Amino acid sequence: MAANQYAIVNLTKGSVKIGKTPANVIRSYLGGRGTNVYYLNKLLRKNVDPFSPENVLIFGAGLLTGFLIPNASRFNVTAKSPESGFLGDTNCGGYFGPEMRYAGFDRIIILGKAKKPSYIFLQDGSVEIRDALDYWGLDTYKVQTELRKDLGDVQAAVTGEAGEKLIRFANIRNGVKNAGGRGGLGAVMGSKNLKALVAYGTQGLNVAHPEQLLEITKRVNDYVLNSKVISVMGKLGSPYLYDVSNALGAIRTKNSQLNAWSDSLNAEYFEEYVEKMVSCASCIVHCRHRNTMNGEGPEYTTIGLLGANIGISDPKQVIELNNLCNRLGLDTASAGSILAWVFELYEKGIVDKAKFQGEKLEFENFELAKSLLEKISHREGLGDILAESSQAVKYFGSKSADYLIAVKNLPQSDPHDVRYIKAFALGIATASRGADHLRSRPTLEIFLRLPQEVKDNIYGSGISPDPSSYEGKEKTVFWSDNMYAVIDAVGICKFICHGFNSPHLIGYEHVRDFLQATVDLNFEISELQKVGQRIIDTERILNLRFGLTRADDSLPKRYFDDPAPLKTAKGHHIDRKQFDTMLNRYYALRGWNDQGMLSKDRITELEAIE
Amino acid sequence: MKYIFVYPERCTGCRLCSLACSLTKFGECNPRKAAISVVRDEFERFEFPVVCFQCQDAPCVTACPQNAITKDEGVATRDDDRCIGCRLCAVVCPFSAITTHGKELIHCDLCGGDPQCVKFCSTKAIEYAEETQEAMQRRKEQLARVLITEK
């Protein structure tokens, strides 16, 4: 196959230009999230409306995606986010990432807006813009099954009606449940009249050292499979985290009015609905439940946000809401955050009841939640307002913002109430795409029995073992942010990434070995660490261009002002002064000034890469 | 005799088996260029690894107009010098276990008794096992399901 190929598809002009990613760009950013943000920074030089044809939408596979490497299935989608107004970047598993590479492309860069509903078809080195009139209006399942009827054994990254109707948290779907979930990039597809990116590839990925790759992967697979957390993940999936977090008092409940919820949502109660555990391409963890209710999931995030956060305690109801969001193409994290937010606004009378268009809102009402999700997806009645996500503050008034659990306008992804765990708080405050745990969550912070020297070896010394202490926490966030950026850039799943769920698993040295065996790139570990920093810095350049200031690296008001009421976390909140000094220390580690700005020299250095 | 046995109920669909095969045989990672294929459809809700089951009375052997495929100690083996690439073997295979890809006709040869695909399966959905032992193991697992009720 032709390695390192990208295609620039201009939907306005109907043109396609195929090119090769320069070697130096690959060396500097690897691929996936890294190379995506490199191109976004190069091509999106103005602060445009995310729904304007000038927004640039990039699909890019990780540099190791599609190889015989554990969990190397992932691709990123990157654009300016219509939900936050800042960087939109979302990472997705499934089978589309490898397929686009087997079809000959590492990256598809989409410009402009098609005159009519369209899809892009990639097949063995060719790119075509095709009519999608027959697929327009279909939900995310139906469009994929119809595409397969018409085109054969293809893989597709699609958006549902929610994307077409510009719901600001419409996501991008591959398969039943894999989602490019965050930031509303499905709506960016909709704004471009783009229903799907479809791939069929019969070209393989050439391997520089086949024998070596077989040997390394066998060894690494055995190492990963021997880890205890991986066997738990393979049996229970991410829901195993609910129990642990709930015991600490770190589960967002009823819009964070509470911080713990019912044990009835513990992972064990979801087991009776599991038909089989299935996996993404090349995955050895198989964390995804094929549920008996004709869907897949739920993840821990969805249990938290469409369970505890809206006051639902029946696992079956959570699964039904999960399946509904998946079919409609809605991000479950934003959906659960926005519903909980307006439920509280209504119940507490913070907003005039006339604003709710005749709806009577309350927590603990499954039928209400279900009907609102449908209404959001079709933009009916109050659904039309909620479809605006955090931007609905303009409608509900500025007082409503005090109750919104969001950072940089992005509702928090993670069900973790961060008031007790200060490193998690810094992580969501500084994450480049807004309140999100997948950028930097230093999960080891809540592994209370982990020996201090293990943490010191990973993050460096001077970090308090107490999760509620601010001391040294900038180091754990800095380390995690860089590591996860690299793992996203190579396309390996975070679930087997060093530091995300375990003090072991895939770290820089494994990435180095895989890069050498597959694409014959030789890196020192220190160079790979610099790649992570480079990705974060480039994301920062974009966010600064989109108007970000230090004030945006902050937290929901409630986390500062209302102490958590329950369990271990009881009485804990985020102290503004201590948070500010921790943020200063984080900026210093990044080499940013006290306003969170990069130096001119650093910007010049990064923008000279080509 | 040892054969590859497949257990679709354990298969998660990941395709590492196919990648290990294509990497071993062709030095590339390509799930469509492998002697083992995972047939899967997440909407129809199934995963099934398809590989040559080394039929005793193998249609591929009978159908080959060139007599290019013979059973060599129980393993179907193709003589590349005789093969004319007509793909009839692939068409008559009752499991569609023979892959055609460009000029390649790909037929599992059990890697000479050390099948690579099996080594990369994380759930033992494919196993290379002595047939009599496999049969007893299978009986035990099936009976356990019937006889041992959960507490």
Side-chain angles (χ1 to χ4, degrees), chain A residues 250-272:
Chain A
I251 286 284
R252 291 163 60 197
T253 303
K254 296 191 175 179
N255 203 38
S256 302
Q257 295 178 84
L258 301 174
N259 57 315
W261 185 243
S262 168
D263 289 339
S264 61
L265 295 183
N266 285 351
E268 63 195 275
Y269 301 111
F270 286 87
E271 276 194 276
E272 67 175 288

PDB file of all heavy atoms in Angstrom, chain A residues 250-272:
ATOM      1  N   ALA A 250     -17.727   9.898  44.947  1.00  0.00           N
ATOM      2  CA  ALA A 250     -17.214  10.596  43.767  1.00  0.00           C
ATOM      3  C   ALA A 250     -18.047  10.264  42.539  1.00  0.00           C
ATOM      4  O   ALA A 250     -17.539  10.149  41.439  1.00  0.00           O
ATOM      5  CB  ALA A 250     -15.740  10.230  43.546  1.00  0.00           C
ATOM      6  N   ILE A 251     -19.359  10.098  42.735  1.00  0.00           N
ATOM      7  CA  ILE A 251     -20.258   9.882  41.594  1.00  0.00           C
ATOM      8  C   ILE A 251     -21.191  11.090  41.474  1.00  0.00           C
ATOM      9  O   ILE A 251     -21.938  11.412  42.410  1.00  0.00           O
ATOM     10  CB  ILE A 251     -21.097   8.586  41.788  1.00  0.00           C
ATOM     11  CG1 ILE A 251     -20.227   7.349  41.575  1.00  0.00           C
ATOM     12  CG2 ILE A 251     -22.297   8.558  40.841  1.00  0.00           C
ATOM     13  CD1 ILE A 251     -19.892   7.008  40.141  1.00  0.00           C
ATOM     14  N   ARG A 252     -21.098  11.759  40.345  1.00  0.00           N
ATOM     15  CA  ARG A 252     -21.985  12.926  40.110  1.00  0.00           C
ATOM     16  C   ARG A 252     -23.436  12.462  40.179  1.00  0.00           C
ATOM     17  O   ARG A 252     -23.859  11.603  39.427  1.00  0.00           O
ATOM     18  CB  ARG A 252     -21.713  13.514  38.739  1.00  0.00           C
ATOM     19  CG  ARG A 252     -20.356  14.185  38.611  1.00  0.00           C
ATOM     20  CD  ARG A 252     -19.961  14.396  37.167  1.00  0.00           C
ATOM     21  NE  ARG A 252     -20.886  15.232  36.442  1.00  0.00           N
ATOM     22  CZ  ARG A 252     -20.928  15.295  35.109  1.00  0.00           C
ATOM     23  NH1 ARG A 252     -20.131  14.560  34.381  1.00  0.00           N
ATOM     24  NH2 ARG A 252     -21.784  16.099  34.513  1.00  0.00           N
ATOM     25  N   THR A 253     -24.163  13.057  41.083  1.00  0.00           N
ATOM     26  CA  THR A 253     -25.539  12.633  41.311  1.00  0.00           C
ATOM     27  C   THR A 253     -26.459  13.851  41.298  1.00  0.00           C
ATOM     28  O   THR A 253     -26.200  14.843  41.994  1.00  0.00           O
ATOM     29  CB  THR A 253     -25.637  11.898  42.668  1.00  0.00           C
ATOM     30  OG1 THR A 253     -24.723  10.800  42.652  1.00  0.00           O
ATOM     31  CG2 THR A 253     -27.047  11.383  42.913  1.00  0.00           C
ATOM     32  N   LYS A 254     -27.511  13.760  40.489  1.00  0.00           N
ATOM     33  CA  LYS A 254     -28.510  14.829  40.391  1.00  0.00           C
ATOM     34  C   LYS A 254     -27.849  16.196  40.192  1.00  0.00           C
ATOM     35  O   LYS A 254     -28.014  17.107  41.011  1.00  0.00           O
ATOM     36  CB  LYS A 254     -29.424  14.826  41.617  1.00  0.00           C
ATOM     37  CG  LYS A 254     -30.256  13.540  41.699  1.00  0.00           C
ATOM     38  CD  LYS A 254     -31.336  13.648  42.736  1.00  0.00           C
ATOM     39  CE  LYS A 254     -32.219  12.399  42.719  1.00  0.00           C
ATOM     40  NZ  LYS A 254     -33.268  12.439  43.722  1.00  0.00           N
ATOM     41  N   ASN A 255     -27.099  16.286  39.152  1.00  0.00           N
ATOM     42  CA  ASN A 255     -26.389  17.522  38.804  1.00  0.00           C
ATOM     43  C   ASN A 255     -25.418  17.954  39.902  1.00  0.00           C
ATOM     44  O   ASN A 255     -25.250  19.140  40.157  1.00  0.00           O
ATOM     45  CB  ASN A 255     -27.381  18.648  38.487  1.00  0.00           C
ATOM     46  CG  ASN A 255     -26.750  19.731  37.611  1.00  0.00           C
ATOM     47  OD1 ASN A 255     -25.966  19.432  36.712  1.00  0.00           O
ATOM     48  ND2 ASN A 255     -27.066  20.978  37.889  1.00  0.00           N
ATOM     49  N   SER A 256     -24.798  16.969  40.550  1.00  0.00           N
ATOM     50  CA  SER A 256     -23.814  17.220  41.602  1.00  0.00           C
ATOM     51  C   SER A 256     -24.394  17.922  42.830  1.00  0.00           C
ATOM     52  O   SER A 256     -23.657  18.527  43.608  1.00  0.00           O
ATOM     53  CB  SER A 256     -22.588  17.981  41.069  1.00  0.00           C
ATOM     54  OG  SER A 256     -21.985  17.241  40.029  1.00  0.00           O
ATOM     55  N   GLN A 257     -25.717  17.838  43.010  1.00  0.00           N
ATOM     56  CA  GLN A 257     -26.282  18.248  44.305  1.00  0.00           C
ATOM     57  C   GLN A 257     -25.850  17.217  45.334  1.00  0.00           C
ATOM     58  O   GLN A 257     -25.656  17.519  46.499  1.00  0.00           O
ATOM     59  CB  GLN A 257     -27.809  18.296  44.240  1.00  0.00           C
ATOM     60  CG  GLN A 257     -28.330  19.358  43.282  1.00  0.00           C
ATOM     61  CD  GLN A 257     -29.852  19.328  43.211  1.00  0.00           C
ATOM     62  OE1 GLN A 257     -30.521  19.918  44.043  1.00  0.00           O
ATOM     63  NE2 GLN A 257     -30.378  18.646  42.207  1.00  0.00           N
ATOM     64  N   LEU A 258     -25.733  15.970  44.887  1.00  0.00           N
ATOM     65  CA  LEU A 258     -25.229  14.883  45.722  1.00  0.00           C
ATOM     66  C   LEU A 258     -23.980  14.314  45.058  1.00  0.00           C
ATOM     67  O   LEU A 258     -23.671  14.650  43.908  1.00  0.00           O
ATOM     68  CB  LEU A 258     -26.296  13.784  45.869  1.00  0.00           C
ATOM     69  CG  LEU A 258     -27.631  14.212  46.486  1.00  0.00           C
ATOM     70  CD1 LEU A 258     -28.629  13.068  46.427  1.00  0.00           C
ATOM     71  CD2 LEU A 258     -27.435  14.686  47.929  1.00  0.00           C
ATOM     72  N   ASN A 259     -23.282  13.426  45.783  1.00  0.00           N
ATOM     73  CA  ASN A 259     -22.057  12.870  45.216  1.00  0.00           C
ATOM     74  C   ASN A 259     -21.973  11.356  45.398  1.00  0.00           C
ATOM     75  O   ASN A 259     -20.891  10.776  45.361  1.00  0.00           O
ATOM     76  CB  ASN A 259     -20.832  13.554  45.839  1.00  0.00           C
ATOM     77  CG  ASN A 259     -20.800  13.427  47.349  1.00  0.00           C
ATOM     78  OD1 ASN A 259     -21.814  13.627  48.006  1.00  0.00           O
ATOM     79  ND2 ASN A 259     -19.658  13.085  47.906  1.00  0.00           N
ATOM     80  N   ALA A 260     -23.110  10.722  45.619  1.00  0.00           N
ATOM     81  CA  ALA A 260     -23.143   9.262  45.680  1.00  0.00           C
ATOM     82  C   ALA A 260     -24.562   8.834  45.375  1.00  0.00           C
ATOM     83  O   ALA A 260     -25.519   9.589  45.589  1.00  0.00           O
ATOM     84  CB  ALA A 260     -22.721   8.758  47.059  1.00  0.00           C
ATOM     85  N   TRP A 261     -24.682   7.597  44.877  1.00  0.00           N
ATOM     86  CA  TRP A 261     -26.006   7.149  44.445  1.00  0.00           C
ATOM     87  C   TRP A 261     -26.166   5.667  44.749  1.00  0.00           C
ATOM     88  O   TRP A 261     -25.329   5.046  45.421  1.00  0.00           O
ATOM     89  CB  TRP A 261     -26.192   7.489  42.960  1.00  0.00           C
ATOM     90  CG  TRP A 261     -27.538   7.207  42.378  1.00  0.00           C
ATOM     91  CD1 TRP A 261     -27.825   6.326  41.374  1.00  0.00           C
ATOM     92  CD2 TRP A 261     -28.793   7.808  42.736  1.00  0.00           C
ATOM     93  NE1 TRP A 261     -29.162   6.357  41.085  1.00  0.00           N
ATOM     94  CE2 TRP A 261     -29.792   7.251  41.911  1.00  0.00           C
ATOM     95  CE3 TRP A 261     -29.173   8.765  43.698  1.00  0.00           C
ATOM     96  CZ2 TRP A 261     -31.141   7.607  42.000  1.00  0.00           C
ATOM     97  CZ3 TRP A 261     -30.513   9.123  43.787  1.00  0.00           C
ATOM     98  CH2 TRP A 261     -31.481   8.554  42.942  1.00  0.00           C
ATOM     99  N   SER A 262     -27.192   5.091  44.197  1.00  0.00           N
ATOM    100  CA  SER A 262     -27.622   3.745  44.564  1.00  0.00           C
ATOM    101  C   SER A 262     -26.638   2.642  44.171  1.00  0.00           C
ATOM    102  O   SER A 262     -26.073   2.659  43.078  1.00  0.00           O
ATOM    103  CB  SER A 262     -28.965   3.503  43.870  1.00  0.00           C
ATOM    104  OG  SER A 262     -29.314   2.162  43.956  1.00  0.00           O
ATOM    105  N   ASP A 263     -26.477   1.651  45.072  1.00  0.00           N
ATOM    106  CA  ASP A 263     -25.656   0.477  44.772  1.00  0.00           C
ATOM    107  C   ASP A 263     -26.299  -0.396  43.693  1.00  0.00           C
ATOM    108  O   ASP A 263     -25.656  -1.310  43.174  1.00  0.00           O
ATOM    109  CB  ASP A 263     -25.462  -0.384  46.037  1.00  0.00           C
ATOM    110  CG  ASP A 263     -24.535   0.303  47.031  1.00  0.00           C
ATOM    111  OD1 ASP A 263     -23.759   1.178  46.599  1.00  0.00           O
ATOM    112  OD2 ASP A 263     -24.602  -0.033  48.235  1.00  0.00           O
ATOM    113  N   SER A 264     -27.541  -0.117  43.390  1.00  0.00           N
ATOM    114  CA  SER A 264     -28.230  -0.933  42.376  1.00  0.00           C
ATOM    115  C   SER A 264     -27.636  -0.763  40.985  1.00  0.00           C
ATOM    116  O   SER A 264     -27.975  -1.507  40.074  1.00  0.00           O
ATOM    117  CB  SER A 264     -29.719  -0.571  42.338  1.00  0.00           C
ATOM    118  OG  SER A 264     -29.861   0.794  41.984  1.00  0.00           O
ATOM    119  N   LEU A 265     -26.746   0.228  40.829  1.00  0.00           N
ATOM    120  CA  LEU A 265     -26.093   0.405  39.526  1.00  0.00           C
ATOM    121  C   LEU A 265     -24.681  -0.193  39.508  1.00  0.00           C
ATOM    122  O   LEU A 265     -23.919   0.036  38.570  1.00  0.00           O
ATOM    123  CB  LEU A 265     -26.048   1.884  39.132  1.00  0.00           C
ATOM    124  CG  LEU A 265     -27.405   2.560  38.886  1.00  0.00           C
ATOM    125  CD1 LEU A 265     -27.217   4.007  38.436  1.00  0.00           C
ATOM    126  CD2 LEU A 265     -28.233   1.805  37.855  1.00  0.00           C
ATOM    127  N   ASN A 266     -24.315  -0.939  40.550  1.00  0.00           N
ATOM    128  CA  ASN A 266     -23.014  -1.617  40.540  1.00  0.00           C
ATOM    129  C   ASN A 266     -22.928  -2.576  39.356  1.00  0.00           C
ATOM    130  O   ASN A 266     -23.947  -3.120  38.909  1.00  0.00           O
ATOM    131  CB  ASN A 266     -22.811  -2.409  41.842  1.00  0.00           C
ATOM    132  CG  ASN A 266     -22.498  -1.484  43.016  1.00  0.00           C
ATOM    133  OD1 ASN A 266     -22.272  -0.281  42.832  1.00  0.00           O
ATOM    134  ND2 ASN A 266     -22.485  -2.051  44.214  1.00  0.00           N
ATOM    135  N   ALA A 267     -21.709  -2.800  38.888  1.00  0.00           N
ATOM    136  CA  ALA A 267     -21.485  -3.600  37.674  1.00  0.00           C
ATOM    137  C   ALA A 267     -22.198  -4.951  37.713  1.00  0.00           C
ATOM    138  O   ALA A 267     -22.738  -5.404  36.702  1.00  0.00           O
ATOM    139  CB  ALA A 267     -19.988  -3.795  37.473  1.00  0.00           C
ATOM    140  N   GLU A 268     -22.226  -5.576  38.892  1.00  0.00           N
ATOM    141  CA  GLU A 268     -22.809  -6.929  38.970  1.00  0.00           C
ATOM    142  C   GLU A 268     -24.272  -6.969  38.517  1.00  0.00           C
ATOM    143  O   GLU A 268     -24.738  -7.979  38.011  1.00  0.00           O
ATOM    144  CB  GLU A 268     -22.672  -7.465  40.398  1.00  0.00           C
ATOM    145  CG  GLU A 268     -23.443  -6.628  41.417  1.00  0.00           C
ATOM    146  CD  GLU A 268     -23.035  -6.902  42.871  1.00  0.00           C
ATOM    147  OE1 GLU A 268     -23.568  -7.847  43.467  1.00  0.00           O
ATOM    148  OE2 GLU A 268     -22.178  -6.145  43.382  1.00  0.00           O
ATOM    149  N   TYR A 269     -24.976  -5.834  38.682  1.00  0.00           N
ATOM    150  CA  TYR A 269     -26.390  -5.824  38.315  1.00  0.00           C
ATOM    151  C   TYR A 269     -26.618  -5.625  36.813  1.00  0.00           C
ATOM    152  O   TYR A 269     -27.751  -5.687  36.336  1.00  0.00           O
ATOM    153  CB  TYR A 269     -27.158  -4.780  39.132  1.00  0.00           C
ATOM    154  CG  TYR A 269     -27.049  -5.065  40.617  1.00  0.00           C
ATOM    155  CD1 TYR A 269     -26.324  -4.231  41.461  1.00  0.00           C
ATOM    156  CD2 TYR A 269     -27.615  -6.233  41.142  1.00  0.00           C
ATOM    157  CE1 TYR A 269     -26.188  -4.530  42.813  1.00  0.00           C
ATOM    158  CE2 TYR A 269     -27.479  -6.533  42.490  1.00  0.00           C
ATOM    159  CZ  TYR A 269     -26.758  -5.675  43.319  1.00  0.00           C
ATOM    160  OH  TYR A 269     -26.624  -5.984  44.646  1.00  0.00           O
ATOM    161  N   PHE A 270     -25.541  -5.348  36.111  1.00  0.00           N
ATOM    162  CA  PHE A 270     -25.662  -5.252  34.652  1.00  0.00           C
ATOM    163  C   PHE A 270     -25.369  -6.595  33.987  1.00  0.00           C
ATOM    164  O   PHE A 270     -25.666  -6.796  32.818  1.00  0.00           O
ATOM    165  CB  PHE A 270     -24.730  -4.167  34.099  1.00  0.00           C
ATOM    166  CG  PHE A 270     -25.237  -2.781  34.393  1.00  0.00           C
ATOM    167  CD1 PHE A 270     -24.918  -2.151  35.592  1.00  0.00           C
ATOM    168  CD2 PHE A 270     -26.055  -2.120  33.488  1.00  0.00           C
ATOM    169  CE1 PHE A 270     -25.410  -0.888  35.886  1.00  0.00           C
ATOM    170  CE2 PHE A 270     -26.549  -0.855  33.774  1.00  0.00           C
ATOM    171  CZ  PHE A 270     -26.228  -0.237  34.972  1.00  0.00           C
ATOM    172  N   GLU A 271     -24.779  -7.506  34.779  1.00  0.00           N
ATOM    173  CA  GLU A 271     -24.312  -8.762  34.179  1.00  0.00           C
ATOM    174  C   GLU A 271     -25.436  -9.597  33.581  1.00  0.00           C
ATOM    175  O   GLU A 271     -25.246 -10.258  32.569  1.00  0.00           O
ATOM    176  CB  GLU A 271     -23.526  -9.578  35.207  1.00  0.00           C
ATOM    177  CG  GLU A 271     -22.071  -9.145  35.289  1.00  0.00           C
ATOM    178  CD  GLU A 271     -21.237 -10.154  36.024  1.00  0.00           C
ATOM    179  OE1 GLU A 271     -21.199 -10.110  37.283  1.00  0.00           O
ATOM    180  OE2 GLU A 271     -20.646 -11.007  35.347  1.00  0.00           O
ATOM    181  N   GLU A 272     -26.613  -9.565  34.210  1.00  0.00           N
ATOM    182  CA  GLU A 272     -27.695 -10.395  33.685  1.00  0.00           C
ATOM    183  C   GLU A 272     -28.173  -9.928  32.304  1.00  0.00           C
ATOM    184  O   GLU A 272     -28.878 -10.643  31.610  1.00  0.00           O
ATOM    185  CB  GLU A 272     -28.870 -10.463  34.665  1.00  0.00           C
ATOM    186  CG  GLU A 272     -29.585  -9.145  34.851  1.00  0.00           C
ATOM    187  CD  GLU A 272     -30.832  -9.264  35.744  1.00  0.00           C
ATOM    188  OE1 GLU A 272     -31.820  -9.833  35.268  1.00  0.00           O
ATOM    189  OE2 GLU A 272     -30.777  -8.789  36.905  1.00  0.00           O
TER     190      GLU A 272
END
